[in-house]
């Protein structure tokens, strides 16, 4: 039995082998460090190797940001609205690398594997006007253990964002991290991979990052198990501390 992360990068994901860790090598960032800190010009790339952001750390200015006309969830007039900001919110760095780092670090909890618990951990959070994250909430989860596995990794990520701007003012933007935990039997691998390839060709909202954590080779049992305690979509739960 093995549990390995399958990363979802945008609309298409390539796999070279059955091992989900065998992903194409991508250069996500280029730049120099001085005393452990970025200096000068840094360039950040997406999973296709396309430039998304160029930062001048000497002047703390954005030298280039890839045009983005997508709609985001912004907090306007005391409500969340799906609109096109004047400036899209953006992670300071390679967001694709951030997603990859999250996916590589999450492991399927043993307790959830033993109980054959599968499903999505969806965590929402807000990038505020100062470019910091806040208001983390668990939207749905198959188990407490899966939530903790995701949260342990998520809280270790760098917290540096370019806030959204709408009508000339910095504005709060909401993001979602969707981590799918799935158990795939050996005889189901080919069908699962074909299904996932079709799903990956479909576009998703730019404010959603997606990761899959897949356990291969686990045997099903006929033993009855208690239903897992899970939150249904739309319900809120406190983030574990």
């Amino acid at each position: 039995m093995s549990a390995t992360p399958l990363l979802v990068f945008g609309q298409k994901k390539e796999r070279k082998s059955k091992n989900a860790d065998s992903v194409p090598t991508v250069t996500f960032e280029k730049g120099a460090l001085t005393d452990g800190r970025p200096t000068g010009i840094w360039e950040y790339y997406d999973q296709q190797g396309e430039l998304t952001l160029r930062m001048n750390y000497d002047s703390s200015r954005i030298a280039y940001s890839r045009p983005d006309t997508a709609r985001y969830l912004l907090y306007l007039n005391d409500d969340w609205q799906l609109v096109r900001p004047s400036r899209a919110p953006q992670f300071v760095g390679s967001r694709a690398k951030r997603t990859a780092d999250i996916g590589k670090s999450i492991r399927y909890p043993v307790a959830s594997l033993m109980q054959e618990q599968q499903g999505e951990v969806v965590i929402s959070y807000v990038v505020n006007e100062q470019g910091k994250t806040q208001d983390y909430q668990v939207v749905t989860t198959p188990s407490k253990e899966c939530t903790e596995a995701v949260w342990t990794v998520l809280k270790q990520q760098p917290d540096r964002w370019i806030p959204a701007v709408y009508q000339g003012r910095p504005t709060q933007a909401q993001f979602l991290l969707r981590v799918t935990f799935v158990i795939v039997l050996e005889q189901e691998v080919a069908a699962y991979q074909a299904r996932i390839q079709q799903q990956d060709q479909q576009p998703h909202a730019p404010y959603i990052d997606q990761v899959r954590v897949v356990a291969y080779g686990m045997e099903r049992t006929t033993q009855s198990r208690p239903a897992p305690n899970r939150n249904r979509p739309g319900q809120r739960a406190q983030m574990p501390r």
Side-chain angles (χ1 to χ4, degrees), residues 145-159:
E145 290 77 15
C146 286
T147 300
E148 291 177 343
V150 175
W151 176 238
T152 298
V153 173
L154 184 58
K155 68 182 180 181
Q156 297 173 350
Q157 301 306 306
D159 189 23

Side-chain angles (χ1 to χ4, degrees), residues 155-169:
K155 68 182 180 181
Q156 297 173 350
Q157 301 306 306
D159 189 23
R160 53 193 189 196
W161 295 76
I162 299 169
V165 173
Y166 185 77
Q167 295 184 349
R169 298 180 59 182

Side-chain angles (χ1 to χ4, degrees), residues 7-199:
L7 308 184
V8 181
F9 294 149
Q11 300 179 20
K12 187 175 182 180
K13 161 70 172 59
E14 297 181 1
R15 291 188 69 188
K16 293 184 178 179
S17 70
K18 188 175 176 180
N19 186 347
D21 287 327
S22 299
V23 297
T25 301
V26 178
T27 299
F28 288 115
E29 54 188 30
K30 295 179 182 178
L33 294 172
T34 302
D35 296 329
R37 304 185 58 158
T39 55
I41 300 294
W42 273 70
E43 294 184 335
Y44 300 101
Y45 301 86
D46 64 12
Q47 66 277 3
Q48 284 84 28
E50 297 180 359
L51 180 65
T52 60
L53 181 68
R54 182 182 293 117
M55 287 289 299
N56 186 333
Y57 283 96
D58 292 341
S59 62
S60 299
R61 291 182 178 274
I62 303 171
Y64 168 82
S65 180
R66 184 169 63 184
D68 187 348
T69 59
R71 294 190 297 175
Y72 287 81
L73 283 169
L74 304 185
Y75 194 67
L76 306 170
N77 300 321
D78 300 324
D79 193 16
W80 290 104
Q81 301 181 34
L82 192 60
V83 299
R84 290 183 176 87
S86 307
R87 183 182 71 190
Q90 187 172 1
F91 180 66
V92 179
S94 170
R95 190 169 161 196
K97 181 179 183 299
R98 177 178 182 268
T99 305
D101 289 343
I102 291 173
K104 290 176 181 177
S105 301
I106 297 175
R107 292 295 178 265
Y108 215 124
V110 174
S112 295
L113 278 174
M114 297 303 294
Q115 297 184 56
E116 300 182 18
Q117 293 174 325
Q118 305 179 73
E120 293 183 346
V121 174
V122 178
I123 295 179
S124 70
Y125 57 95
V126 173
V127 175
N128 64 23
E129 297 90 339
Q130 289 75 44
K132 296 296 182 181
T133 56
Q134 62 184 39
D135 299 339
Y136 283 85
Q137 297 284 347
V138 179
V139 180
T140 185
T141 182
S143 71
K144 176 183 177 182
E145 290 77 15
C146 286
T147 300
E148 291 177 343
V150 175
W151 176 238
T152 298
V153 173
L154 184 58
K155 68 182 180 181
Q156 297 173 350
Q157 301 306 306
D159 189 23
R160 53 193 189 196
W161 295 76
I162 299 169
V165 173
Y166 185 77
Q167 295 184 349
R169 298 180 59 182
T171 306
Q172 295 184 28
Q174 186 179 91
F175 283 81
L176 297 173
L177 173 64
R178 177 185 294 156
V179 181
T180 302
F181 290 85
V182 60
I183 299 170
V184 180
L185 303 182
E186 284 296 335
Q187 61 269 28
E188 298 174 349
V189 171
Y192 172 78
Q193 292 176 350
R195 184 171 67 252
I196 292 305
Q197 286 180 354
Q198 291 182 345
Q199 292 179 4

